[in-house]
Amino acid sequence: MEEKVALSELNNIFHARRFAYDILRRFFVEEPSKEYLKPFIQKNMIDLFPFREDSEEIQEGVNKLKSYLHTHDVLTIGHHYDDLHWDYTRMFIGPFKLTTPPWESSYVRKDRLLFQGTTMNVRGYYDKYGIIVRDFNIEADDHIGLELDFIYHLNERCIKMAEQNESRGLRQLLRDQQRFIDDHLLKFVPEFSRLVMKEANTSFYSGLAQLLHHYLLIDSEVLLELMTIDNL
């Protein structure tokens, strides 16, 4: 990477990150909605997912989603949407015992308890940037969807700074994102994704879990590279 890079060039990277994290956070934070599925399918958004041409694993995940959506009509009244909705509910909400819990604490703590040290550490990152999660003290802050949403919002700040040609503080913003990905998301997403790929009844969520894992690995490296730019 060249030593001097214009913020307008960086904004292309930030917009690609916005696209990827928006997809991931929406499908992991709550059950899939027809309101979002409609533009997602009709605009073939999955074909634009970043790094699909550079990563066999990401391309494979993309193919799984495309194959599922090609053979299952989730936009009209019928059981296909209900099946997709139930796949999320069964894995991440209940009512049965969760084989794929969506909280970081369930993977990094031996006691698997929520609202303990891991949750509070994540909350510390949110507090630093004035972000309060929905259902505060009801939904644990270290839910996979909320952690992805946090990165999405920090990237939005990167976009705003680049558009205003303001680089002051950008390096710290990039550093905090990279640390959060490495210290939190990548501490549990590999196992989380493995379990989702094993337990999912739909190739939609199996593919999505594969995208999640391998995109985070690449994005962490992208952030590290961005932090080597001298003029930030």
Side-chain angles (χ1 to χ4, degrees):
M1 181 173 288
E2 297 180 2
E3 292 185 355
K4 300 294 183 180
V5 178
L7 288 181
S8 58
E9 295 179 50
L10 293 185
N11 218 14
N12 293 330
I13 297 174
F14 297 150
H15 277 279
R17 297 182 74 230
R18 166 195 272 174
F19 184 83
Y21 279 108
D22 193 36
I23 289 174
L24 294 172
R25 67 173 184 144
R26 286 177 181 269
F27 285 128
F28 278 112
V29 78
E30 62 185 2
E31 300 95 325
S33 69
K34 288 187 179 180
E35 290 76 17
Y36 182 66
L37 282 168
K38 185 175 181 179
F40 181 77
I41 295 169
Q42 293 181 344
K43 295 180 181 179
N44 295 315
M45 291 169 64
I46 195 59
D47 277 333
L48 302 176
F49 200 90
F51 299 112
R52 66 199 180 283
E53 297 177 353
D54 303 306
S55 166
E56 291 183 5
E57 293 83 3
I58 288 179
Q59 184 62 64
E60 185 176 332
V62 167
N63 291 342
K64 287 180 180 179
L65 268 74
K66 290 178 64 175
S67 177
Y68 180 84
L69 294 174
H70 180 71
T71 56
H72 297 75
D73 184 358
V74 298
L75 296 182
T76 58
I77 298 176
H79 68 88
H80 287 161
Y81 174 74
D82 292 337
D83 290 345
L84 184 62
H85 196 276
W86 171 243
D87 208 22
Y88 181 97
T89 303
R90 178 184 59 83
M91 288 191 294
F92 308 133
I93 298 177
F96 310 117
K97 180 180 179 180
L98 298 183
T99 56
T100 53
W103 306 281
E104 179 184 346
S105 297
S106 298
Y107 299 87
V108 302
R109 291 182 59 89
K110 291 183 179 179
D111 57 19
R112 301 168 67 93
L113 292 176
L114 305 180
F115 294 104
Q116 304 300 314
T118 301
T119 305
M120 294 303 106
N121 191 288
V122 169
R123 183 175 293 181
Y125 273 91
Y126 297 172
D127 287 345
K128 178 177 180 178
Y129 288 96
I131 295 175
I132 300 176
V133 303
R134 64 175 191 177
D135 299 327
F136 183 70
N137 281 339
I138 297 176
E139 178 62 79
D141 305 61
D142 59 344
H143 186 286
I144 178 64
L146 297 178
E147 292 196 8
L148 292 169
D149 187 62
F150 174 65
I151 296 295
Y152 173 85
H153 283 293
L154 262 57
N155 185 66
E156 288 294 284
R157 300 189 185 202
C158 292
I159 291 174
K160 184 176 181 180
M161 294 176 72
E163 290 176 345
Q164 295 176 348
N165 200 33
E166 175 57 66
S167 63
R168 183 178 180 182
L170 183 57
R171 184 184 297 275
Q172 183 63 49
L173 198 56
L174 296 173
R175 182 179 292 112
D176 281 348
Q177 290 179 78
Q178 199 278 328
R179 286 176 176 171
F180 188 83
I181 290 172
D182 276 17
D183 293 346
H184 289 284
L185 281 160
L186 284 177
K187 282 293 192 295
F188 79 103
V189 161
E191 178 64 8
F192 169 78
S193 294
R194 185 189 71 79
L195 289 175
V196 172
M197 292 175 69
K198 175 185 176 183
E199 299 291 337
N201 288 335
T202 65
S203 57
F204 183 93
Y205 272 103
S206 175
L208 200 65
Q210 190 166 349
L211 287 181
L212 170 67
H213 180 195
H214 292 280
Y215 179 72
L216 286 175
L217 290 172
I218 293 177
D219 192 48
S220 176
E221 294 299 319
V222 168
L223 291 170
L224 283 173
E225 188 173 356
L226 290 179
M227 286 187 290
T228 66
I229 299 174
D230 288 345
N231 57 312
L232 292 187

